Amino acid sequence: MKLKFSGQVWKIAGAVTFYWVVSITTVFVNKVLLSSNMVQFDAPLFITWFQCLVSVLYYGAYNLIRREKLESSAFDIKIIKAVFPLSIIFASMIIFNNLCLKHVDVSFYYIGRSLTTVFNVMLTYLVLGETTSMKTCFCCLLIVFGFWLGVDQEHFIGTFSLLGTIYGILGSLSVAYYAIKVKEVLPRIDSTIWLLSYYNNIYSCFLFLPLIIFCNEIPVIYNYRQITSFYFWTLMFSSGLCGLCIGYATTLQIKVTSPLTHNISGTAKACVQTIIASYYYTETKPWLWWLSNWIVLLGSACYTRVKQKELDRKASFQQFK
């Protein structure tokens, strides 16, 4: 018996695969830039700003080559009102993720960012007013327990970073909120993914400039010895390209699936990312540390199953009516 896959299934599979490849690559490239001995460049906000700038330059070149004129300028007051609030969330999401990655190991990044699903449930209730079942709450408690156990084990082996964990929690909150709000904003710009990514990046470039000055990164940039290094700028442009792709991949995955599926996909991707990182950096972790990862994964999988059943029951009820 041959399995038949519809075009929509292949579209979803392609979007999820693209997101996984881009996201994992982005994490490893950014880790080298943010906290490796090879670079030693302590300016995470500048790195994040440069990622956004590369994206803006790419979109500008793309429009120039195709000789397309945007129907609405990024500085149109209607576009600013519609997109700018989302861009603030977008900027928060990428900076908190980068700051978390700067302070924790790639292998712990999964646990540090594992509360996205929990925040998704909370924000769905607070923003959309949708209630949550007891089974869903139990799944969230399972994820929180896995997160707590992972933090405890990081402390036990002496690699725990309180600052990195706080940034991870804030990053999870930003990702969950972005996933909810992006579907609200997309219809206002004709559901054009690349256009939303362009607007997000151009607004973020302006948002980061005062932050770079406030956090005193200008002297760090000015005094950096490898500022003219070919290796350094290769990494910077690679990071910028990854930033461009991850913005598009995230929005694409949300568009063809749902905010829920996007969060679950991100959690599963992070699990694979943890295994790759542990092997690449030859790290040895205690069994309780690994158990925390599996508990989070189990909680996320159960949550997906529970939500899917709830959606199926809701669809059947509506069809019956």
Side-chain angles (χ1 to χ4, degrees), residues 22 26 51 54-55 58 236-246:
V22 169
T26 300
Q51 291 175 342
V54 168
S55 298
Y58 169 82
M236 287 289 284
F237 275 99
S238 298
S239 176
L241 181 61
C242 287
L244 167 69
C245 293
I246 193 62

Side-chain angles (χ1 to χ4, degrees), residues 105-151:
D105 295 333
V106 175
S107 54
F108 181 70
Y109 187 63
Y110 167 49
I111 293 295
R113 287 269 289 93
S114 62
L115 296 181
T116 301
T117 301
V118 178
F119 283 124
N120 181 263
V121 172
M122 294 171 60
L123 292 172
T124 298
Y125 174 74
L126 294 173
V127 177
L128 304 178
E130 296 180 9
T131 56
T132 303
S133 67
M134 290 301 296
K135 289 182 179 180
T136 301
C137 291
F138 175 77
C139 295
C140 289
L141 287 175
L142 198 61
I143 294 171
V144 172
F145 175 70
F147 170 80
W148 172 83
L149 181 60
V151 169

Side-chain angles (χ1 to χ4, degrees), residues 25-200:
T25 303
T26 300
V27 168
F28 279 91
V29 171
N30 283 348
K31 184 61 178 177
V32 174
L33 266 175
L34 291 164
S35 60
S36 72
N37 293 328
M38 294 180 291
V39 178
Q40 296 182 332
F41 184 54
D42 190 21
L45 290 170
F46 174 76
I47 292 172
T48 311
W49 172 82
F50 189 81
Q51 291 175 342
C52 295
L53 180 63
V54 168
S55 298
V56 172
L57 294 175
Y58 169 82
Y59 287 127
Y62 176 80
N63 288 327
L64 204 62
I65 292 172
R66 296 195 60 177
R67 296 181 180 180
E68 291 185 357
K69 186 178 181 180
L70 297 177
E71 294 183 5
S72 301
S73 168
F75 302 102
D76 186 313
I77 191 65
K78 292 182 180 179
I79 297 298
I80 293 175
K81 285 182 177 180
V83 180
F84 190 74
L86 182 67
S87 298
I88 296 175
I89 304 170
F90 175 81
S92 301
M93 178 178 69
I94 56 179
I95 189 55
F96 285 138
N97 287 346
N98 277 356
L99 287 173
C100 174
L101 189 59
K102 176 179 173 62
H103 292 279
V104 304
D105 295 333
V106 175
S107 54
F108 181 70
Y109 187 63
Y110 167 49
I111 293 295
R113 287 269 289 93
S114 62
L115 296 181
T116 301
T117 301
V118 178
F119 283 124
N120 181 263
V121 172
M122 294 171 60
L123 292 172
T124 298
Y125 174 74
L126 294 173
V127 177
L128 304 178
E130 296 180 9
T131 56
T132 303
S133 67
M134 290 301 296
K135 289 182 179 180
T136 301
C137 291
F138 175 77
C139 295
C140 289
L141 287 175
L142 198 61
I143 294 171
V144 172
F145 175 70
F147 170 80
W148 172 83
L149 181 60
V151 169
D152 177 73
Q153 288 301 296
E154 279 289 301
H155 189 271
F156 174 75
I157 61 180
T159 56
F160 174 68
S161 169
L162 176 61
L163 195 58
T165 303
I166 292 173
Y167 285 136
I169 293 172
L170 293 174
S172 297
L173 176 61
S174 301
V175 170
Y177 195 33
Y178 182 83
I180 289 174
K181 298 296 288 184
V182 70
K183 283 209 167 186
E184 178 185 315
V185 176
L186 266 176
R188 301 182 187 180
I189 53 172
D190 300 323
S191 297
T192 309
I193 298 174
W194 74 266
L195 195 55
L196 178 61
S197 183
Y198 169 71
Y199 291 148
N200 276 334

